[in-house]
Amino acid sequence: MRSDGVLLSLSTSIPYAALARLIAVAALLCTAMAAPPEESVGQVLHAAPQDAGPALEAVGSRRLTIEDSLALEVPRFAAARGVSADGEMLAYTLRDGYQPRAKTPTLYYYVPRGEYVFVRPIDSDEALPITQGDEFSWTPTWAPDGSKLAFYAWHDGAICLGVWYRASGRTDFFRLADISGRRALDWTPDGRRVLYFPTSFEGVGPIWPYEDDERVIVRTTWEPDSYEERFIEYSRSQLWGLDIASGQTVPIIGEDTNFYSYSVSPDGRWVAASKLTRWPVLTHLVPSYVTLEIHSVDGGDVRRVLADVIMTTPYSWSPDGASLAYVEEERLWLYDPVTDRSTPLGPESLHVSGSPLWRPNSNTILCPVEEGYVLLDAATGDSKPLVLDLPQRPAQVIWGDEGRVLLVKVVDDRSGQQGIYRIEPDTGATGQLFLGDRMIQQIRLIGQRLFFTLQGAATPENIWVADDSAGERRQLTRFNERFADRSMGVTELIHWTSRAGVPLKGVLLYPAGYQPGRSYPVIFWVYESFSHNLHQFQYHIYNRQVYANHGYAVFLPDVAFTMGETARSFEESVVPAMDRLLELGVANGNFGVTGRSFGGFATNIIVTRTSRFRAAISLAGITNWVSKYRMQGVFWRRGDRIGQGRLGGQLWDVPEAFIKNSPIFHLDKVETPIMIMQGTDDRNVHLSQAEQMYYALRDLEKPASLIVYPGETHLGGDSEPWVLIDIWQRMLAWFDGYLK
């Protein structure tokens, strides 16, 4: 360890010459980045032929550096909260990439240092920052009438709730007890109250299995485990309402709750809330269960609709707020909060497979079903099929023009193109608004104007507006405006078949300045599924354009998993993809592999299954499922068994699965030099996982390097900028030393 305690680096074999060349490059900090050259939406969203392939010419002329990538402005925009009701004002958050998050001793503080809320008219390029300097702000949400904007702020040394008044430009800050600054804000329909989430939990420092003041650590199986309880508490909060006129607060849901979702009724009387129950921490690892309740906005009155059901149960309020439509076991129900009764709707043979969507100003509900969509009459229960005759897969449906039209976002599963169609459900008339090689998100229709964001693998996200009848479309924001001269690679969807015969696809990022006919070293970036991110622009540690600007192609494969055979699944999916890239002539045979978190595990296990990778880098990856069993929280252990780990059972039921899927037991087969990177305060993957792999490889005299960052957690976007720079420099040096 260095004398300043900043970095611990242990190596058995390091390409020192390559590392020295890279570290010797001076860091040029760029404070602003840029957008691509101005182009019309007609150019951006074009109906290109399915087999046209990507435009492979270079974008820009200057090399994208590590510092450039970190200096990007990161926009945060949710159209449902960021466009005023009259469609005239925008509100969004921009994060300065070089501002580290505040390092406060209280775990529950959520202060995104360097984030600022901006407001601007849609017909003006002048944006007003709500806060500046050390006064940060985030999560802007317009009042229902668009006259006020609520947001969180770090103001006068504390987290506050701020309200900006559109007419006067005045800002009020409300210092509230136990406000955490997490979760989205909301308003009651009358615009009098702001709904926010306080929490009574105060966790200090990293969550260890013991407290500093415990002289003797005692845990029993017949009592709640305080270690696991702290993880449950970390997700709990309450729901309160702030009256902005009086400054008084009212508890709507006053007990600590693990919220899954909530929704305020249009009449402002009720709040529907689904709460995590049986497995009270929400993760993507395993199915969880919820209880659906109705709470009075004034507090006190609580009605239970469902108890302990799978968390995918969707629901939505009727336009008048008199009924709540929800789905239980594929059956649609209507709940009346006045009578506290539920009644089934539609024929029993109708299997609803998604969220019910009320038609504005009507009693009609649009429901996705196995065969497509149906329109259900809430008064009679009559159903009518709605045929969406579209050449691409519908991915999102929203009502527009007071219920007279449907806007349907589509995705082409073969090419990855995305687009929007306009459909008149009463006549069946269908028109394509646009289709092209961009990711479309945050769709919202106000009047005749459609708001959405566009981004591409080489194009940072920006906000656009269009006429929903395919009229004029224009770009509203120009985040990262001076980014146009940076060289960028473009992406293409590649298809292949796994060894098990499963059709798969993945994202190929071409090197910046790609020359057709020339082959390149390829870095595999592994996890689970990436094909849906074909057109997503990435920031910071995930910005693979840094690799593309150093002469690498990057490939992000989808993986077909078999329960209990996680290791074999990676091998059967990833290795044939290498052959496919060689067949296409893109790869020159010099393959590297890398990944973070579960992708770090994927990297660790893949190098025990094949020697075809010449270099590997694992960030915060699992090495030993057996020793990971000690990790915090039953939800993590369930995730190992039936969630992301896919081990298929508990340790004593399927010990062979824990062994064959744990890299630690197979490191004698490793021939690939590997660099292992980890933070000391990682609460997802303990540092001991990295240490086990490193010391085992050292004993086996295999080439490996261990890089440890004191005080860092899961090595993600919240890491200090110098840490991200150091990570990127070391990753490039490692791959350069072995692949070039």
Side-chain angles (χ1 to χ4, degrees):
M1 176 176 286
R2 283 166 32 180
S3 60
D4 57 7
V6 171
L7 181 70
L8 174 65
S9 176
L10 302 175
S11 301
T12 63
S13 176
I14 302 178
Y16 289 105
L19 180 62
R21 285 197 303 271
L22 220 72
I23 295 180
V25 177
L28 176 63
L29 301 182
C30 303
T31 57
M33 295 298 296
E38 184 172 344
E39 52 187 339
S40 69
V41 179
Q43 293 170 324
V44 173
L45 295 171
H46 58 284
Q50 298 290 328
D51 57 352
L56 298 180
E57 63 272 10
V59 179
S61 58
R62 291 182 56 191
R63 190 179 195 181
L64 180 81
T65 67
I66 298 169
E67 291 78 17
D68 287 343
S69 175
L70 298 185
L72 284 163
E73 297 173 313
V74 183
R76 304 185 192 278
F77 173 73
R81 301 190 300 269
V83 182
S84 61
D86 57 7
E88 298 296 332
M89 295 287 292
L90 294 178
Y92 51 83
T93 302
L94 281 182
R95 180 181 176 189
D96 176 353
Y98 270 110
Q99 290 266 20
R101 290 192 177 201
K103 300 292 184 180
T104 63
T106 303
L107 181 66
Y108 222 109
Y109 272 4
Y110 182 70
V111 181
R113 186 177 177 88
E115 286 197 3
Y116 304 96
V117 171
F118 289 82
V119 294
R120 51 157 285 191
I122 68 166
D123 293 325
S124 170
D125 292 332
E126 295 297 323
L128 171 69
I130 297 296
T131 58
Q132 300 181 60
D134 291 333
E135 301 273 293
F136 308 118
S137 49
W138 61 99
T139 317
T141 306
W142 287 106
D145 63 358
S147 65
K148 301 176 287 292
L149 184 78
F151 57 93
Y152 292 117
W154 178 253
H155 173 73
D156 197 23
I159 298 177
C160 299
L161 197 155
V163 176
W164 179 80
Y165 297 86
R166 179 173 168 182
S168 65
R170 186 182 92 246
T171 301
D172 291 336
F173 292 96
F174 298 87
R175 197 163 188 167
L176 306 174
D178 298 322
I179 188 169
S180 66
R182 299 181 62 172
R183 297 181 176 269
L185 297 168
D186 208 345
W187 291 83
T188 54
D190 59 11
R192 293 177 53 196
R193 292 182 186 173
V194 180
L195 305 186
Y196 69 100
F197 293 86
T199 175
S200 59
F201 173 66
E202 293 184 1
V204 179
I207 299 179
W208 301 116
Y210 54 85
E211 303 288 348
D212 290 339
D213 60 356
E214 287 186 275
R215 297 185 62 185
V216 179
I217 302 171
V218 179
R219 302 288 184 266
T220 61
T221 59
W222 55 87
E223 296 174 311
D225 189 318
S226 60
Y227 186 31
E228 294 191 353
E229 287 295 312
R230 291 177 66 192
F231 276 85
I232 295 172
E233 290 175 0
Y234 176 73
S235 297
R236 286 175 177 161
S237 58
Q238 303 176 15
L239 180 64
W240 288 57
L242 166 70
D243 187 305
I244 62 173
S246 66
Q248 299 298 309
T249 57
V250 175
I252 299 171
I253 301 177
E255 72 277 7
D256 289 339
T257 298
N258 295 75
F259 286 94
Y260 176 49
S261 64
Y262 83 101
S263 177
V264 184
S265 65
D267 61 3
R269 296 181 59 190
W270 309 96
V271 172
S274 57
K275 307 174 181 180
L276 292 162
T277 53
R278 195 189 309 174
W279 305 109
V281 176
L282 178 61
T283 76
H284 69 290
L285 302 176
V286 291
S288 294
Y289 292 79
V290 299
T291 291
L292 178 60
E293 295 179 345
I294 307 298
H295 293 253
S296 168
V297 169
D298 294 325
D301 194 358
V302 183
R303 318 284 176 86
R304 177 161 290 185
V305 182
L306 293 170
D308 205 32
V309 297
I310 200 73
M311 73 176 183
T312 53
T313 301
Y315 57 90
S316 62
W317 287 105
S318 62
D320 60 3
S323 300
L324 184 78
Y326 66 91
V327 179
E328 181 186 13
E329 296 182 351
E330 299 185 339
R331 189 78 193 274
L332 185 67
W333 294 74
L334 285 185
Y335 173 78
D336 185 334
V338 175
T339 63
D340 193 22
R341 295 181 60 185
S342 293
T343 54
L345 185 64
E348 191 173 352
S349 59
L350 192 68
H351 299 288
V352 180
S353 58
S355 298
L357 189 64
W358 289 85
R359 192 172 189 172
N361 304 317
S362 77
N363 285 322
T364 304
I365 308 173
L366 177 67
C367 293
V369 295
E370 293 176 339
E371 302 78 18
Y373 292 87
V374 298
L375 291 168
L376 276 170
D377 190 305
T380 65
D382 295 337
S383 63
K384 173 186 175 183
L386 176 64
V387 178
L388 300 180
D389 187 15
L390 301 173
Q392 297 86 19
R393 172 177 56 87
Q396 182 182 359
V397 179
I398 63 173
W399 287 105
D401 196 14
E402 300 300 320
R404 287 183 284 272
V405 301
L406 280 171
L407 295 174
V408 183
K409 174 186 171 180
V410 298
V411 176
D412 189 297
D413 289 326
R414 185 70 190 175
S415 68
Q417 289 188 328
Q418 298 188 9
I420 299 178
Y421 284 81
R422 184 181 191 274
I423 298 174
E424 296 179 6
D426 296 329
T427 65
T430 302
Q432 177 184 300
L433 295 186
F434 32 74
L435 179 71
D437 295 313
R438 290 290 185 270
M439 177 179 283
I440 305 170
Q441 291 183 307
Q442 302 299 339
I443 300 172
R444 185 185 180 191
L445 186 68
I446 298 180
Q448 297 295 316
R449 285 190 291 197
L450 178 66
F451 294 87
F452 54 95
T453 66
L454 285 181
Q455 61 183 303
T459 311
E461 186 177 32
N462 272 285
I463 306 169
W464 292 69
V465 66
D467 186 283
D468 82 326
S469 59
E472 179 184 358
R473 300 181 286 270
R474 61 192 175 96
Q475 184 174 339
L476 293 178
T477 58
R478 301 194 177 276
F479 305 137
N480 302 301
E481 194 168 38
R482 288 174 286 172
F483 197 43
D485 61 351
R486 299 308 195 275
S487 180
M488 303 285 279
V490 296
T491 55
E492 182 182 12
L493 210 56
I494 303 297
H495 299 260
W496 76 99
T497 303
S498 76
R499 285 180 179 171
V502 179
L504 293 171
K505 53 190 174 182
V507 177
L508 176 61
L509 172 63
Y510 286 87
Y514 169 76
Q515 298 176 20
R518 179 183 170 187
S519 58
Y520 295 83
V522 179
I523 296 172
F524 273 63
W525 193 303
V526 288
Y527 193 74
E528 291 190 28
S529 176
F530 281 114
S531 57
H532 59 286
N533 297 130
L534 172 67
H535 303 303
Q536 186 172 21
F537 187 86
Q538 301 286 350
Y539 298 91
H540 300 161
I541 195 68
Y542 297 107
N543 193 338
R544 295 142 196 144
Q545 293 288 353
V546 175
Y547 281 134
N549 271 268
H550 281 76
Y552 293 103
V554 183
F555 190 65
L556 299 87
D558 288 356
V559 178
F561 290 100
T562 299
M563 185 65 74
E565 298 290 347
T566 315
R568 179 165 59 84
S569 299
F570 275 114
E571 179 187 359
E572 291 183 343
S573 299
V574 171
V575 174
M578 302 168 76
D579 296 329
R580 177 59 175 156
L581 296 179
L582 287 169
E583 177 188 338
L584 293 172
V586 176
N588 65 7
N590 293 347
F591 292 105
V593 61
T594 187
R596 172 183 166 270
S597 192
F598 189 67
F601 158 72
T603 301
N604 294 339
I605 198 66
I606 284 172
V607 296
T608 72
R609 309 281 299 197
T610 179
S611 60
R612 293 182 61 179
F613 289 105
R614 297 192 177 186
I617 300 174
S618 170
L619 291 87
I622 298 159
T623 300
N624 187 343
W625 291 108
V626 178
S627 63
K628 187 179 180 294
Y629 205 83
R630 65 169 286 276
M631 287 295 289
Q632 63 275 12
V634 64
F635 53 96
W636 284 115
R637 295 194 290 275
R638 290 186 72 235
D640 296 348
R641 298 195 300 265
I642 63 174
Q644 196 171 47
R646 300 174 177 87
L647 297 175
Q650 300 193 74
L651 176 60
W652 45 91
D653 295 328
V654 288
E656 70 283 355
F658 279 74
I659 293 173
K660 69 183 176 183
N661 292 301
S662 292
I664 192 71
F665 295 102
H666 312 283
L667 294 182
D668 58 316
K669 304 180 183 69
V670 173
E671 298 181 21
T672 303
I674 184 167
M675 181 163 65
I676 307 157
M677 313 185 88
Q678 190 81 29
T680 61
D681 290 354
D682 193 331
R683 293 183 293 273
N684 295 48
V685 178
H686 196 270
L687 173 61
S688 62
Q689 293 284 310
E691 291 174 324
Q692 288 178 61
M693 185 158 183
Y694 167 73
Y695 285 111
L697 289 171
R698 186 181 185 91
D699 288 346
L700 290 165
E701 298 183 348
K702 306 284 186 176
S705 177
L706 175 63
I707 312 297
V708 179
Y709 296 94
E712 290 296 326
T713 56
H714 206 43
L715 299 185
D718 61 347
S719 293
E720 297 278 7
W722 78 264
V723 172
L724 298 177
I725 292 172
D726 191 81
I727 289 173
W728 269 113
Q729 288 176 337
R730 292 177 182 276
M731 291 194 302
L732 289 169
W734 189 262
F735 282 136
D736 285 351
Y738 288 106
L739 304 185
K740 290 184 177 180

